[in-house]
Amino acid sequence: MTTTREECAALDAADPLAPFRAEFVLPEGLIYLDGNSLGVLPARTPERVRQVVEQEWGQQLIRSWNEAGWFAKPHTLGARVAPLLGAAAGQVVVCDTTSVNLFKVLAAALGLRPGRSTVLAERAAFPTDLYIAEGVSALAGGGARTELLDSADQLADRLGPDTAVVLLSLVDYRTGELLDLPAITRQVQAAGALMVWDVCHAVGALPIELDANGVDFAVGCTYKYLNSGPGSPAFLYVAERHLAAAEQPLSGWFGHAKPFDFEPGYRPVDGIGRFLTSSPSLLGQAALESSLEIWEQVDLAEVRAKSLALTELFIELVDPLAKYGVEVVTPRERARRGSQVALRHPDGYPVVQALIARGVVGDFRAPDLMRFGFTPLYLSYTEVWDAARQLAEVLESEEWREEQFGRRGEVT
Ligand SMILES: *Cc1c(COP(=O)(O)O)cnc(C)c1O
């Protein structure tokens, strides 16, 4: 029995997260299934950003470093992101970008494992993670190198006395597969290596328990499920037990013990502050501050429950599209699924473009995956039903064959 649109409306009426929808700006007539790539704008954010621009910058000027808490912002925001990661305060800072933060934590992790030289990562990882791992390995010298796994299942064979660090994404950006963080972290640490998790596609989509599972390091971004806007600052997590010994090479003045003493030599500050490098991007941080006000009212267990229900519904509704060559790539098993559904189709690119033309926004990842992200705070069951219906119509009518849908933009 396929779920009907009426049943979806009933699910919406009983949805405990439904009131959050009013917190977001949702363009009229659009079903947005790309919040895993760029989250939508919170309604309260323009006012917050305006206040920082016009008041804190425009009027208070330089005084805002102290009076508006600008200087402490990477820490105060880090402490507010920490609960989303299952982390106690003092281990998270908000700064820079995911790639830059990954550079810092990978270098620190390698430094904590002298005599070991291999970084293990998944071949299918988000490529920037691999580029950064290769860059860090090359700079570290001493024969350090990054080796690629076909999947995390190979860890059992590949972990060894030379493995310094394992870097994995908690949720795969293409397939939406969710890895078993507790088991993999234990496995990696049992081999004497350190575990770095990239949680870009997990934070704000499901509960994450870094402290409880003894994770060593983590990085992630705030512009996907956390709705903080394009290019908003990322975060990094370093377990308390590593903070005294961990050193990172981007030794800028914000990580210095006394930045305003302007000493000629670098002396890292004690604690997580040593992972900072530069002046924070205050405007991006203002947007994060604003979206965190929403996240602080959210029960992540409810988010996870609805996320699973939405992805399950979408999978159920698109399964019959197998007759048009659509294959569900995302794991059907709940424990192995993040908050997106990836569908394989040889003409995925024009199909997604035709769908966007109908007001249903998903995206495409080469070579043949259509990606649909499900954001429980602002998506309804009815929208999921309508999106699946539109996809069926695009395939049935073959309108994706129209020439306009085959032209590629720079960002897919
Ligand atoms: C989105 C994403 C990034 C983004 O990196 P930036 O440096 O912030 O542009 C990195 N890694 C993964 C796994 C991602 O999903």
Side-chain angles (χ1 to χ4, degrees):
M1 270 292 288
T2 321
T3 306
T4 63
R5 196 170 191 279
E6 290 64 39
E7 285 165 335
C8 289
L11 289 169
D12 287 331
D15 174 11
L17 294 176
F20 282 103
R21 187 180 173 90
E23 290 282 355
F24 298 96
V25 176
L26 293 160
E28 215 26 62
L30 203 70
I31 300 179
Y32 192 67
L33 304 183
D34 219 356
N36 55 326
S37 203
L38 178 65
V40 303
L41 172 68
R44 62 177 75 206
T45 294
E47 185 48 41
R48 174 71 194 139
V49 173
R50 186 177 311 117
Q51 191 216 335
V52 172
V53 170
E54 293 182 354
Q55 198 55 43
E56 295 183 12
W57 176 15
Q59 297 299 315
Q60 286 169 261
L61 287 165
I62 197 81
R63 290 168 289 185
S64 285
W65 281 105
N66 289 317
E67 290 167 13
W70 282 2
F71 187 72
K73 211 59 101 175
H75 292 275
T76 49
L77 287 176
R80 292 173 67 183
V81 168
L84 297 168
L85 305 173
Q91 305 171 104
V92 180
V93 273
V94 165
C95 57
D96 305 315
T97 61
T98 305
S99 303
V100 171
N101 287 337
L102 185 58
F103 181 88
K104 292 187 277 190
V105 305
L106 277 179
L110 272 172
L112 291 172
R113 285 295 176 270
R116 292 172 175 242
S117 54
T118 307
V119 177
L120 291 178
E122 269 189 299
R123 192 180 308 282
F126 195 101
T128 196
D129 291 25
L130 302 181
Y131 306 156
I132 293 288
E134 283 162 13
V136 171
S137 307
L139 267 182
R145 66 190 173 281
T146 298
E147 289 184 3
L148 302 182
L149 308 170
D150 293 333
S151 99
D153 296 339
Q154 289 187 326
L155 278 174
D157 297 329
R158 300 285 291 277
L159 280 166
D162 191 53
T163 313
V165 186
V166 174
L167 163 65
L168 293 171
S169 275
L170 185 52
V171 175
D172 185 284
Y173 79 106
R174 264 194 292 228
T175 64
E177 181 182 5
L178 168 65
L179 294 182
D180 185 344
L181 179 143
I184 292 176
T185 303
R186 271 198 305 277
Q187 181 186 19
V188 165
Q189 292 173 343
L194 294 169
M195 186 69 222
V196 179
W197 285 104
D198 183 327
V199 299
C200 277
H201 279 273
V203 66
L206 45 98
I208 301 172
E209 296 294 344
L210 298 182
D211 280 353
N213 291 294
V215 168
D216 297 294
F217 298 90
V219 295
C221 65
T222 63
Y223 52 79
K224 292 173 180 160
Y225 291 92
L226 294 186
N227 313 96
S228 301
S232 61
F235 57 83
L236 63 83
Y237 162 92
V238 181
E240 161 93 55
R241 64 185 177 281
H242 293 312
L243 284 173
E247 289 178 3
Q248 61 91 4
L250 294 184
S251 43
W253 69 315
F254 266 69
H256 194 280
K258 292 274 178 218
F260 284 89
D261 282 2
F262 296 102
E263 292 172 10
Y266 185 72
R267 258 191 316 128
V269 67
D270 286 342
I272 190 71
R274 62 177 49 198
F275 278 81
L276 297 176
T277 299
S278 304
S279 307
S281 157
L282 266 305
L283 302 186
Q285 291 197 340
L288 172 59
E289 191 159 42
S290 162
S291 60
L292 285 174
E293 288 172 5
I294 302 171
W295 282 99
E296 281 160 1
Q297 305 167 41
V298 168
D299 176 351
L300 282 174
E302 278 180 359
V303 168
R304 176 63 171 157
K306 182 174 172 188
S307 155
L308 285 170
L310 293 174
T311 49
E312 210 152 80
L313 172 66
F314 190 69
I315 290 173
E316 174 207 310
L317 295 171
V318 299
D319 257 341
L321 304 182
K323 62 174 180 277
Y324 301 114
V326 170
E327 177 200 345
V328 176
V329 173
T330 301
R332 287 161 193 269
E333 198 186 315
R334 291 186 146 213
R336 293 185 52 223
R337 188 165 76 236
S339 201
Q340 69 177 58
V341 175
L343 304 179
R344 178 171 287 135
H345 188 279
D347 295 294
Y349 184 78
V351 171
V352 165
Q353 299 315 306
L355 200 54
I356 293 172
R358 282 172 172 256
V360 178
V361 179
D363 64 19
F364 173 79
R365 287 295 175 262
D368 55 5
L369 289 187
M370 304 187 277
R371 261 191 345 172
F372 302 97
F374 295 86
T375 44
L377 294 192
Y378 52 88
L379 259 188
S380 67
Y381 292 89
T382 314
E383 283 176 308
V384 172
W385 196 95
D386 289 343
R389 181 70 231 141
Q390 298 277 359
L391 176 59
E393 286 178 16
V394 163
L395 290 161
E396 203 171 355
S397 67
E398 300 199 12
E399 69 199 41
W400 56 267
R401 291 189 190 277
E402 290 171 29
E403 195 206 327
Q404 50 171 330
F405 298 131
R407 280 185 231 119
R408 297 220 180 179
E410 210 163 332
V411 174
T412 60

